[in-house]
Amino acid sequence: MAIEKQSDKLKSVFLPFLSTSHIIPLVDMARLFALHGVDVTIVTTKHNSTIFQNSIDLDSTRGRPIRTHIVEFPASKVGLPVGVESFNVNTPREMTPKIYMGLAILQPQIERLFEDLHADFIVTDMFYPWSVDAAAKLGIPRIMFHGASYLARSAAHSVEQYAPHLKVESDTDTFVIPDLPDRLEMSRLQLPDWLRSPNQYTELMKVIKESEKRSYGSLFNSFYELESDYYDHYKRVIGTKSWGIGPVSLWANQDASDKAARGYAKGEKEGKEEEGWLKWLNSKPDGSVLYVSFGSMNKFPYSQLVEIAHALEDSGHCFIWVVRKNDGEGGVFLEEFEKRVRESERGYLIWGWAPQLLILENPAIGGLVSHCGWNTVVESVNAGLPMVTWPLFAEHFFNEKLVVDVLGIGVPVGAKEWRNWNEFGSEVVKREEIRKAIALLMGGGEEDAAMRGRTKALSGAAKGAIQPGGSSYNNMVELIQELMSSNFPSFNREIITESSLFLSNFHLLFVFQLRCKSRRNFAVLVKVILSMMEV
């Protein structure tokens, strides 16, 4: 499936953001470029490389031109313990601004790497808007990676443009998102806070959008048949090139070894745990088990964990639950619950990280309860599985609209309130609502059968998209051929003024200010950014 290569390989640098949900799909994209003959270097820090290094090592043994370049995270300079260098469910809230500070310190070093590694083009996460200026100085294309769906980005753009949420009287009243291919209704409470009312993050998103317009184009982990109307709509309203080359997890991880290697490096304990859940799952009838997971960035309060546990136990269906325990809260309850459901062979709890691709493709899985993170949505479609939707933060509520209202492959649990990723929020979904949604998904009725039929059809389309002649395959061919034929020295060469350099660095300050609890801390961060700009 590799594209015919020219004798001189294109050289690329991929720069993922320091968050698991952003790292995994962008690394899969990097692996696809290497599969098609592009020389790839992934730049990241040591701890974050453990998420994907097994996959890179496998690809290297296959002769693919891909490697990881480690930059040392400046933990001591920002007052962090060694190894704390990413945004995830276990990142202490008070350490978040220090990680951003470390990223700011690393920026000049990464910019020099783009030149030292002789990159012909760079692919960087949306949270690195400064990289469009770095690429312009080198006269090479910058391609932006979006970790969301085309519908989510289209809906956010519409809310920014038309502000329909300001035309309703209360936070719970619904409004129609204008100028979209479908009639989609939401409430103010379901919008991200930066869209409800302007804040510093709103300004950051404006900087990101401006950097996208100055980039060569954008990449999405999506495929045309999944959200074709929004694929076309997004390119029209944003006015830039964009390529959907998904589903990247399906394309880049076709062997069992790839699926097992994906994610954090496994120690002896994790290996034994995998044998446990796999043996349990293989003992269950096809389509009988519900998979429950809320992604790598979420923790629930004890009160919500109790409701989920009772709903699962009372549902009458077997389940695998990927759960994260809150320190000092609910430990005894969850331990007793785990013991009870294991003895009855009704349930299996996985603590922490789970090998999701391997679980979803197991024939015993019949559906899932999901937070509507985009990676999980795409992976469930790949596996042909309908889902109970439980959006939490980021663009999750927009993704729910695609799953439930546009595609008709999901049942909403009834979540009504958006929250930040590192907060519990005030909403607790009751066990009765959870149980009701599970019954609709797994009950075997007409609605369930119709959803499964639609999901199976989309699964077939996902597999076809990555085959020669498929929509994503053709997008990959088109993009690489464009990059091969581009006149790099003259591409995007602009006069970089001091003000534009300041803007590309200043976006970090907005995030810092959101995370800092005192003006003194924020002032320190401002000094760091300003001194960095003098390098």
Side-chain angles (χ1 to χ4, degrees), residues 299-356:
K299 272 187 180 179
F300 281 123
Y302 171 63
S303 56
Q304 186 64 82
L305 293 174
V306 170
E307 296 299 313
I308 295 171
H310 282 298
L312 293 174
E313 195 168 14
D314 297 342
S315 70
H317 298 283
C318 295
F319 59 89
I320 282 188
W321 181 13
V322 183
V323 63
R324 289 178 174 86
K325 185 164 46 179
N326 294 324
D327 295 337
E329 189 179 29
V332 175
F333 170 81
L334 286 172
E335 288 169 7
E336 292 177 350
F337 172 76
E338 180 179 28
K339 181 180 178 182
R340 192 166 62 247
V341 297
R342 281 212 186 188
E343 287 176 352
S344 67
E345 297 188 354
R346 284 278 314 286
Y348 197 102
L349 272 63
I350 297 177
W351 299 93
W353 179 262
Q356 185 160 289

Short mmCIF file of all heavy atoms in Angstrom, two decimals, residues 299-356:
data_model
loop_
_atom_site.label_atom_id
_atom_site.label_comp_id
_atom_site.label_asym_id
_atom_site.label_seq_id
_atom_site.Cartn_x
_atom_site.Cartn_y
_atom_site.Cartn_z
N LYS A 299 -11.23 11.85 35.49
CA LYS A 299 -11.52 11.20 36.75
C LYS A 299 -12.90 11.66 37.22
O LYS A 299 -13.25 12.84 37.06
CB LYS A 299 -10.48 11.57 37.82
CG LYS A 299 -9.26 10.68 37.86
CD LYS A 299 -8.39 11.04 39.04
CE LYS A 299 -7.15 10.16 39.12
NZ LYS A 299 -6.28 10.52 40.27
N PHE A 300 -13.67 10.72 37.76
CA PHE A 300 -14.98 11.07 38.31
C PHE A 300 -14.90 11.22 39.83
O PHE A 300 -14.09 10.56 40.48
CB PHE A 300 -16.00 9.98 37.99
CG PHE A 300 -16.54 10.02 36.59
CD1 PHE A 300 -16.42 8.92 35.76
CD2 PHE A 300 -17.19 11.15 36.10
CE1 PHE A 300 -16.93 8.94 34.47
CE2 PHE A 300 -17.70 11.18 34.83
CZ PHE A 300 -17.57 10.07 34.01
N PRO A 301 -15.77 12.04 40.41
CA PRO A 301 -15.87 12.07 41.87
C PRO A 301 -16.45 10.75 42.38
O PRO A 301 -17.08 9.99 41.62
CB PRO A 301 -16.82 13.24 42.14
CG PRO A 301 -17.65 13.35 40.90
CD PRO A 301 -16.73 12.97 39.77
N TYR A 302 -16.26 10.51 43.65
CA TYR A 302 -16.74 9.27 44.26
C TYR A 302 -18.23 9.07 44.03
O TYR A 302 -18.68 7.95 43.72
CB TYR A 302 -16.42 9.30 45.76
CG TYR A 302 -17.05 8.18 46.55
CD1 TYR A 302 -16.71 6.85 46.30
CD2 TYR A 302 -17.97 8.45 47.56
CE1 TYR A 302 -17.28 5.82 47.04
CE2 TYR A 302 -18.54 7.44 48.30
CZ TYR A 302 -18.19 6.12 48.05
OH TYR A 302 -18.76 5.11 48.77
N SER A 303 -19.02 10.12 44.15
CA SER A 303 -20.47 10.01 43.98
C SER A 303 -20.84 9.49 42.60
O SER A 303 -21.78 8.70 42.46
CB SER A 303 -21.14 11.36 44.23
OG SER A 303 -20.60 12.36 43.38
N GLN A 304 -20.08 9.90 41.56
CA GLN A 304 -20.39 9.43 40.21
C GLN A 304 -19.92 7.99 40.01
O GLN A 304 -20.58 7.20 39.33
CB GLN A 304 -19.74 10.34 39.18
CG GLN A 304 -20.10 10.01 37.74
CD GLN A 304 -21.58 10.20 37.43
OE1 GLN A 304 -22.03 11.30 37.17
NE2 GLN A 304 -22.36 9.12 37.48
N LEU A 305 -18.79 7.62 40.59
CA LEU A 305 -18.32 6.24 40.50
C LEU A 305 -19.34 5.28 41.10
O LEU A 305 -19.57 4.18 40.57
CB LEU A 305 -16.97 6.10 41.20
CG LEU A 305 -15.79 6.82 40.55
CD1 LEU A 305 -14.55 6.71 41.45
CD2 LEU A 305 -15.48 6.26 39.17
N VAL A 306 -19.96 5.68 42.20
CA VAL A 306 -20.98 4.84 42.83
C VAL A 306 -22.17 4.64 41.89
O VAL A 306 -22.68 3.52 41.74
CB VAL A 306 -21.45 5.47 44.16
CG1 VAL A 306 -22.68 4.75 44.71
CG2 VAL A 306 -20.32 5.43 45.18
N GLU A 307 -22.61 5.70 41.24
CA GLU A 307 -23.75 5.59 40.32
C GLU A 307 -23.42 4.69 39.13
O GLU A 307 -24.23 3.87 38.70
CB GLU A 307 -24.16 6.99 39.83
CG GLU A 307 -24.69 7.91 40.90
CD GLU A 307 -25.93 7.38 41.59
OE1 GLU A 307 -26.87 6.92 40.89
OE2 GLU A 307 -25.97 7.42 42.83
N ILE A 308 -22.21 4.83 38.59
CA ILE A 308 -21.80 3.98 37.47
C ILE A 308 -21.75 2.52 37.90
O ILE A 308 -22.26 1.63 37.20
CB ILE A 308 -20.42 4.42 36.93
CG1 ILE A 308 -20.49 5.82 36.33
CG2 ILE A 308 -19.92 3.42 35.88
CD1 ILE A 308 -19.13 6.40 35.98
N ALA A 309 -21.16 2.26 39.07
CA ALA A 309 -21.03 0.88 39.54
C ALA A 309 -22.40 0.23 39.71
O ALA A 309 -22.62 -0.92 39.27
CB ALA A 309 -20.26 0.87 40.86
N HIS A 310 -23.33 0.92 40.35
CA HIS A 310 -24.66 0.34 40.56
C HIS A 310 -25.38 0.13 39.22
O HIS A 310 -26.07 -0.89 39.04
CB HIS A 310 -25.48 1.24 41.47
CG HIS A 310 -25.13 1.11 42.92
ND1 HIS A 310 -25.27 -0.06 43.62
CD2 HIS A 310 -24.63 2.02 43.80
CE1 HIS A 310 -24.88 0.11 44.88
NE2 HIS A 310 -24.48 1.38 45.01
N ALA A 311 -25.23 1.07 38.30
CA ALA A 311 -25.89 0.93 37.00
C ALA A 311 -25.35 -0.28 36.24
O ALA A 311 -26.12 -1.04 35.64
CB ALA A 311 -25.69 2.20 36.17
N LEU A 312 -24.05 -0.48 36.27
CA LEU A 312 -23.46 -1.63 35.58
C LEU A 312 -23.89 -2.94 36.22
O LEU A 312 -24.25 -3.90 35.53
CB LEU A 312 -21.94 -1.51 35.58
CG LEU A 312 -21.34 -0.37 34.76
CD1 LEU A 312 -19.82 -0.29 34.97
CD2 LEU A 312 -21.65 -0.54 33.28
N GLU A 313 -23.87 -2.97 37.53
CA GLU A 313 -24.22 -4.21 38.23
C GLU A 313 -25.69 -4.57 38.03
O GLU A 313 -26.05 -5.75 37.95
CB GLU A 313 -23.91 -4.07 39.72
CG GLU A 313 -23.90 -5.39 40.46
CD GLU A 313 -23.31 -5.27 41.85
OE1 GLU A 313 -23.14 -4.13 42.35
OE2 GLU A 313 -23.00 -6.32 42.43
N ASP A 314 -26.54 -3.55 37.94
CA ASP A 314 -27.97 -3.79 37.79
C ASP A 314 -28.42 -3.93 36.33
O ASP A 314 -29.59 -4.20 36.07
CB ASP A 314 -28.76 -2.63 38.42
CG ASP A 314 -28.52 -2.52 39.92
OD1 ASP A 314 -28.04 -3.51 40.51
OD2 ASP A 314 -28.78 -1.43 40.48
N SER A 315 -27.51 -3.72 35.39
CA SER A 315 -27.90 -3.69 33.97
C SER A 315 -28.27 -5.06 33.42
O SER A 315 -28.99 -5.15 32.42
CB SER A 315 -26.75 -3.11 33.13
OG SER A 315 -25.65 -4.02 33.09
N GLY A 316 -27.74 -6.12 34.04
CA GLY A 316 -27.98 -7.46 33.51
C GLY A 316 -27.03 -7.86 32.41
O GLY A 316 -27.17 -8.93 31.82
N HIS A 317 -26.02 -7.01 32.13
CA HIS A 317 -25.05 -7.31 31.08
C HIS A 317 -23.64 -7.40 31.67
O HIS A 317 -23.31 -6.71 32.65
CB HIS A 317 -25.07 -6.22 30.00
CG HIS A 317 -26.39 -6.10 29.31
ND1 HIS A 317 -26.81 -6.97 28.34
CD2 HIS A 317 -27.40 -5.19 29.47
CE1 HIS A 317 -28.02 -6.63 27.92
NE2 HIS A 317 -28.40 -5.54 28.59
N CYS A 318 -22.81 -8.23 31.07
CA CYS A 318 -21.41 -8.29 31.46
C CYS A 318 -20.69 -7.02 31.01
O CYS A 318 -21.09 -6.39 30.01
CB CYS A 318 -20.73 -9.53 30.86
SG CYS A 318 -21.39 -11.10 31.48
N PHE A 319 -19.62 -6.67 31.70
CA PHE A 319 -18.95 -5.41 31.35
C PHE A 319 -17.47 -5.47 31.71
O PHE A 319 -17.05 -6.21 32.61
CB PHE A 319 -19.60 -4.23 32.09
CG PHE A 319 -19.56 -4.35 33.59
CD1 PHE A 319 -18.48 -3.87 34.32
CD2 PHE A 319 -20.61 -4.96 34.28
CE1 PHE A 319 -18.43 -3.99 35.70
CE2 PHE A 319 -20.57 -5.08 35.67
CZ PHE A 319 -19.48 -4.60 36.37
N ILE A 320 -16.67 -4.69 30.96
CA ILE A 320 -15.29 -4.35 31.32
C ILE A 320 -15.27 -2.85 31.55
O ILE A 320 -15.67 -2.07 30.69
CB ILE A 320 -14.30 -4.74 30.21
CG1 ILE A 320 -14.01 -6.23 30.22
CG2 ILE A 320 -13.00 -3.98 30.38
CD1 ILE A 320 -12.90 -6.66 29.28
N TRP A 321 -14.79 -2.46 32.73
CA TRP A 321 -14.78 -1.04 33.10
C TRP A 321 -13.34 -0.60 33.35
O TRP A 321 -12.65 -1.13 34.22
CB TRP A 321 -15.62 -0.84 34.35
CG TRP A 321 -15.74 0.57 34.85
CD1 TRP A 321 -15.38 1.72 34.18
CD2 TRP A 321 -16.26 0.99 36.12
NE1 TRP A 321 -15.64 2.83 34.95
CE2 TRP A 321 -16.18 2.41 36.14
CE3 TRP A 321 -16.77 0.32 37.22
CZ2 TRP A 321 -16.60 3.16 37.25
CZ3 TRP A 321 -17.20 1.06 38.32
CH2 TRP A 321 -17.13 2.46 38.33
N VAL A 322 -12.88 0.37 32.56
CA VAL A 322 -11.57 0.98 32.77
C VAL A 322 -11.78 2.12 33.75
O VAL A 322 -12.41 3.13 33.42
CB VAL A 322 -10.96 1.49 31.45
CG1 VAL A 322 -9.57 2.06 31.70
CG2 VAL A 322 -10.91 0.38 30.42
N VAL A 323 -11.27 1.96 34.95
CA VAL A 323 -11.62 2.88 36.03
C VAL A 323 -10.36 3.47 36.65
O VAL A 323 -9.32 2.82 36.72
CB VAL A 323 -12.48 2.16 37.10
CG1 VAL A 323 -11.70 1.04 37.76
CG2 VAL A 323 -12.99 3.13 38.16
N ARG A 324 -10.49 4.72 37.09
CA ARG A 324 -9.40 5.40 37.80
C ARG A 324 -9.90 5.81 39.16
O ARG A 324 -10.88 6.54 39.29
CB ARG A 324 -8.92 6.62 37.01
CG ARG A 324 -8.17 6.21 35.76
CD ARG A 324 -7.74 7.41 34.93
NE ARG A 324 -6.91 6.98 33.84
CZ ARG A 324 -7.38 6.57 32.67
NH1 ARG A 324 -8.69 6.52 32.47
NH2 ARG A 324 -6.57 6.19 31.70
N LYS A 325 -9.22 5.32 40.18
CA LYS A 325 -9.61 5.57 41.57
C LYS A 325 -9.10 6.93 42.01
O LYS A 325 -7.97 7.31 41.69
CB LYS A 325 -9.04 4.45 42.43
CG LYS A 325 -9.43 4.49 43.88
CD LYS A 325 -9.15 3.17 44.59
CE LYS A 325 -7.80 2.62 44.27
NZ LYS A 325 -7.54 1.34 44.98
N ASN A 326 -9.93 7.65 42.74
CA ASN A 326 -9.50 8.92 43.32
C ASN A 326 -8.76 8.66 44.62
O ASN A 326 -9.22 7.87 45.45
CB ASN A 326 -10.71 9.82 43.58
CG ASN A 326 -11.40 10.23 42.31
OD1 ASN A 326 -10.74 10.46 41.30
ND2 ASN A 326 -12.73 10.31 42.33
N ASP A 327 -7.63 9.31 44.80
CA ASP A 327 -6.82 9.09 45.99
C ASP A 327 -7.61 9.40 47.25
O ASP A 327 -8.17 10.49 47.41
CB ASP A 327 -5.57 9.98 45.95
CG ASP A 327 -4.65 9.59 44.79
OD1 ASP A 327 -4.74 8.44 44.34
OD2 ASP A 327 -3.87 10.46 44.36
N GLY A 328 -7.67 8.41 48.14
CA GLY A 328 -8.30 8.62 49.44
C GLY A 328 -9.80 8.67 49.42
O GLY A 328 -10.43 9.00 50.42
N GLU A 329 -10.45 8.36 48.30
CA GLU A 329 -11.90 8.45 48.23
C GLU A 329 -12.46 7.27 47.44
O GLU A 329 -12.11 7.04 46.30
CB GLU A 329 -12.31 9.76 47.55
CG GLU A 329 -13.80 10.04 47.62
CD GLU A 329 -14.18 11.35 46.95
OE1 GLU A 329 -13.48 11.76 46.01
OE2 GLU A 329 -15.19 11.94 47.35
N GLY A 330 -13.33 6.52 48.07
CA GLY A 330 -14.04 5.45 47.37
C GLY A 330 -13.25 4.18 47.18
O GLY A 330 -13.74 3.26 46.51
N GLY A 331 -12.07 4.09 47.76
CA GLY A 331 -11.25 2.91 47.53
C GLY A 331 -11.89 1.64 48.02
O GLY A 331 -11.91 0.62 47.33
N VAL A 332 -12.43 1.67 49.23
CA VAL A 332 -13.04 0.47 49.82
C VAL A 332 -14.25 0.04 49.00
O VAL A 332 -14.44 -1.15 48.71
CB VAL A 332 -13.43 0.72 51.29
CG1 VAL A 332 -14.19 -0.48 51.85
CG2 VAL A 332 -12.19 1.00 52.12
N PHE A 333 -15.10 1.00 48.63
CA PHE A 333 -16.29 0.68 47.84
C PHE A 333 -15.92 -0.01 46.54
O PHE A 333 -16.51 -1.03 46.16
CB PHE A 333 -17.09 1.95 47.55
CG PHE A 333 -18.19 1.75 46.55
CD1 PHE A 333 -19.41 1.22 46.93
CD2 PHE A 333 -18.00 2.09 45.21
CE1 PHE A 333 -20.42 1.02 46.00
CE2 PHE A 333 -19.00 1.89 44.27
CZ PHE A 333 -20.22 1.36 44.67
N LEU A 334 -14.94 0.55 45.80
CA LEU A 334 -14.56 -0.01 44.51
C LEU A 334 -13.91 -1.38 44.65
O LEU A 334 -14.13 -2.27 43.82
CB LEU A 334 -13.64 0.95 43.77
CG LEU A 334 -14.30 2.21 43.20
CD1 LEU A 334 -13.25 3.16 42.66
CD2 LEU A 334 -15.31 1.86 42.11
N GLU A 335 -13.12 -1.56 45.70
CA GLU A 335 -12.50 -2.86 45.92
C GLU A 335 -13.55 -3.93 46.21
O GLU A 335 -13.48 -5.06 45.70
CB GLU A 335 -11.50 -2.77 47.08
CG GLU A 335 -10.23 -1.99 46.72
CD GLU A 335 -9.38 -1.69 47.93
OE1 GLU A 335 -9.72 -2.21 49.03
OE2 GLU A 335 -8.39 -0.93 47.80
N GLU A 336 -14.54 -3.59 47.00
CA GLU A 336 -15.62 -4.53 47.29
C GLU A 336 -16.45 -4.81 46.04
O GLU A 336 -16.87 -5.95 45.80
CB GLU A 336 -16.50 -4.00 48.42
CG GLU A 336 -15.79 -3.95 49.76
CD GLU A 336 -16.66 -3.34 50.85
OE1 GLU A 336 -17.74 -2.79 50.51
OE2 GLU A 336 -16.26 -3.41 52.04
N PHE A 337 -16.69 -3.76 45.28
CA PHE A 337 -17.44 -3.92 44.03
C PHE A 337 -16.70 -4.83 43.07
O PHE A 337 -17.28 -5.75 42.47
CB PHE A 337 -17.66 -2.54 43.40
CG PHE A 337 -18.26 -2.58 42.02
CD1 PHE A 337 -19.61 -2.84 41.83
CD2 PHE A 337 -17.47 -2.35 40.90
CE1 PHE A 337 -20.16 -2.87 40.56
CE2 PHE A 337 -18.00 -2.39 39.63
CZ PHE A 337 -19.36 -2.64 39.46
N GLU A 338 -15.38 -4.59 42.91
CA GLU A 338 -14.59 -5.43 42.02
C GLU A 338 -14.62 -6.89 42.45
O GLU A 338 -14.79 -7.80 41.62
CB GLU A 338 -13.15 -4.93 41.96
CG GLU A 338 -12.26 -5.77 41.05
CD GLU A 338 -10.84 -5.26 40.98
OE1 GLU A 338 -10.38 -4.64 41.96
OE2 GLU A 338 -10.17 -5.46 39.95
N LYS A 339 -14.46 -7.14 43.74
CA LYS A 339 -14.48 -8.51 44.25
C LYS A 339 -15.81 -9.18 43.96
O LYS A 339 -15.88 -10.35 43.53
CB LYS A 339 -14.20 -8.50 45.74
CG LYS A 339 -14.18 -9.89 46.38
CD LYS A 339 -13.89 -9.80 47.88
CE LYS A 339 -13.92 -11.19 48.51
NZ LYS A 339 -13.68 -11.11 49.98
N ARG A 340 -16.90 -8.44 44.16
CA ARG A 340 -18.25 -8.99 43.97
C ARG A 340 -18.52 -9.35 42.50
O ARG A 340 -19.01 -10.44 42.21
CB ARG A 340 -19.27 -7.97 44.47
CG ARG A 340 -20.67 -8.51 44.59
CD ARG A 340 -21.54 -7.57 45.41
NE ARG A 340 -21.69 -6.25 44.83
CZ ARG A 340 -21.19 -5.14 45.35
NH1 ARG A 340 -20.47 -5.18 46.46
NH2 ARG A 340 -21.40 -3.96 44.77
N VAL A 341 -18.17 -8.46 41.57
CA VAL A 341 -18.49 -8.72 40.16
C VAL A 341 -17.55 -9.76 39.56
O VAL A 341 -17.92 -10.48 38.62
CB VAL A 341 -18.49 -7.43 39.33
CG1 VAL A 341 -19.57 -6.47 39.83
CG2 VAL A 341 -17.12 -6.75 39.31
N ARG A 342 -16.34 -9.87 40.09
CA ARG A 342 -15.43 -10.91 39.60
C ARG A 342 -15.92 -12.29 40.05
O ARG A 342 -15.86 -13.25 39.29
CB ARG A 342 -14.01 -10.67 40.08
CG ARG A 342 -13.27 -9.62 39.29
CD ARG A 342 -11.79 -9.91 39.21
NE ARG A 342 -11.06 -8.83 38.55
CZ ARG A 342 -9.78 -8.90 38.23
NH1 ARG A 342 -9.08 -9.99 38.51
NH2 ARG A 342 -9.17 -7.89 37.64
N GLU A 343 -16.37 -12.36 41.30
CA GLU A 343 -16.87 -13.64 41.80
C GLU A 343 -18.10 -14.09 41.02
O GLU A 343 -18.28 -15.29 40.78
CB GLU A 343 -17.19 -13.51 43.28
CG GLU A 343 -15.96 -13.45 44.18
CD GLU A 343 -16.30 -13.23 45.64
OE1 GLU A 343 -17.50 -12.98 45.94
OE2 GLU A 343 -15.39 -13.31 46.48
N SER A 344 -18.94 -13.16 40.63
CA SER A 344 -20.13 -13.50 39.85
C SER A 344 -19.83 -13.65 38.36
O SER A 344 -20.70 -14.05 37.59
CB SER A 344 -21.19 -12.43 40.03
OG SER A 344 -20.77 -11.19 39.46
N GLU A 345 -18.58 -13.29 37.96
CA GLU A 345 -18.13 -13.32 36.57
C GLU A 345 -18.95 -12.40 35.67
O GLU A 345 -19.04 -12.60 34.46
CB GLU A 345 -18.14 -14.76 36.02
CG GLU A 345 -17.19 -15.69 36.74
CD GLU A 345 -17.06 -17.04 36.06
OE1 GLU A 345 -17.79 -17.30 35.10
OE2 GLU A 345 -16.21 -17.83 36.52
N ARG A 346 -19.54 -11.37 36.28
CA ARG A 346 -20.33 -10.42 35.53
C ARG A 346 -19.50 -9.23 35.05
O ARG A 346 -19.88 -8.57 34.07
CB ARG A 346 -21.47 -9.90 36.41
CG ARG A 346 -22.62 -10.88 36.60
CD ARG A 346 -23.57 -10.82 35.43
NE ARG A 346 -23.87 -9.44 35.09
CZ ARG A 346 -24.66 -8.64 35.81
NH1 ARG A 346 -25.23 -9.08 36.91
NH2 ARG A 346 -24.88 -7.40 35.42
N GLY A 347 -18.41 -8.93 35.77
CA GLY A 347 -17.66 -7.75 35.42
C GLY A 347 -16.17 -7.91 35.62
O GLY A 347 -15.71 -8.81 36.34
N TYR A 348 -15.40 -7.04 34.94
CA TYR A 348 -13.94 -7.04 35.06
C TYR A 348 -13.48 -5.60 35.07
O TYR A 348 -13.82 -4.82 34.16
CB TYR A 348 -13.31 -7.81 33.90
CG TYR A 348 -11.87 -8.20 34.14
CD1 TYR A 348 -11.54 -9.50 34.50
CD2 TYR A 348 -10.84 -7.28 34.03
CE1 TYR A 348 -10.23 -9.88 34.74
CE2 TYR A 348 -9.53 -7.63 34.26
CZ TYR A 348 -9.23 -8.93 34.61
OH TYR A 348 -7.93 -9.29 34.85
N LEU A 349 -12.72 -5.21 36.08
CA LEU A 349 -12.20 -3.85 36.18
C LEU A 349 -10.73 -3.82 35.78
O LEU A 349 -9.94 -4.66 36.21
CB LEU A 349 -12.35 -3.32 37.61
CG LEU A 349 -13.67 -2.62 37.96
CD1 LEU A 349 -14.84 -3.59 37.83
CD2 LEU A 349 -13.62 -2.04 39.37
N ILE A 350 -10.40 -2.85 34.91
CA ILE A 350 -9.01 -2.59 34.54
C ILE A 350 -8.64 -1.23 35.13
O ILE A 350 -9.32 -0.23 34.88
CB ILE A 350 -8.83 -2.58 33.00
CG1 ILE A 350 -9.15 -3.95 32.41
CG2 ILE A 350 -7.40 -2.16 32.65
CD1 ILE A 350 -9.06 -4.00 30.90
N TRP A 351 -7.58 -1.20 35.92
CA TRP A 351 -7.17 0.03 36.59
C TRP A 351 -6.13 0.76 35.75
O TRP A 351 -5.08 0.24 35.46
CB TRP A 351 -6.60 -0.30 37.97
CG TRP A 351 -7.61 -0.99 38.84
CD1 TRP A 351 -7.80 -2.33 38.99
CD2 TRP A 351 -8.59 -0.35 39.66
NE1 TRP A 351 -8.84 -2.58 39.85
CE2 TRP A 351 -9.34 -1.38 40.28
CE3 TRP A 351 -8.91 0.98 39.94
CZ2 TRP A 351 -10.38 -1.11 41.16
CZ3 TRP A 351 -9.95 1.25 40.82
CH2 TRP A 351 -10.67 0.20 41.43
N GLY A 352 -6.47 2.00 35.36
CA GLY A 352 -5.51 2.81 34.61
C GLY A 352 -5.62 2.62 33.11
O GLY A 352 -6.69 2.72 32.52
N TRP A 353 -4.48 2.32 32.49
CA TRP A 353 -4.40 2.22 31.04
C TRP A 353 -4.95 0.88 30.53
O TRP A 353 -4.71 -0.16 31.15
CB TRP A 353 -2.95 2.38 30.59
CG TRP A 353 -2.76 2.26 29.11
CD1 TRP A 353 -2.37 1.17 28.41
CD2 TRP A 353 -2.98 3.29 28.14
NE1 TRP A 353 -2.32 1.44 27.06
CE2 TRP A 353 -2.69 2.75 26.87
CE3 TRP A 353 -3.39 4.62 28.23
CZ2 TRP A 353 -2.81 3.49 25.70
CZ3 TRP A 353 -3.49 5.35 27.06
CH2 TRP A 353 -3.20 4.79 25.82
N ALA A 354 -5.67 0.91 29.41
CA ALA A 354 -6.22 -0.32 28.82
C ALA A 354 -5.84 -0.38 27.35
O ALA A 354 -5.83 0.65 26.66
CB ALA A 354 -7.73 -0.35 28.96
N PRO A 355 -5.53 -1.57 26.83
CA PRO A 355 -5.22 -1.74 25.39
C PRO A 355 -6.50 -1.72 24.58
O PRO A 355 -7.04 -2.75 24.18
CB PRO A 355 -4.52 -3.10 25.36
CG PRO A 355 -5.10 -3.84 26.51
CD PRO A 355 -5.40 -2.84 27.57
N GLN A 356 -6.99 -0.53 24.30
CA GLN A 356 -8.34 -0.36 23.76
C GLN A 356 -8.55 -1.02 22.41
O GLN A 356 -9.62 -1.60 22.16
CB GLN A 356 -8.66 1.14 23.69
CG GLN A 356 -10.09 1.43 23.27
CD GLN A 356 -10.51 2.82 23.66
OE1 GLN A 356 -10.71 3.10 24.84
NE2 GLN A 356 -10.64 3.71 22.69
#
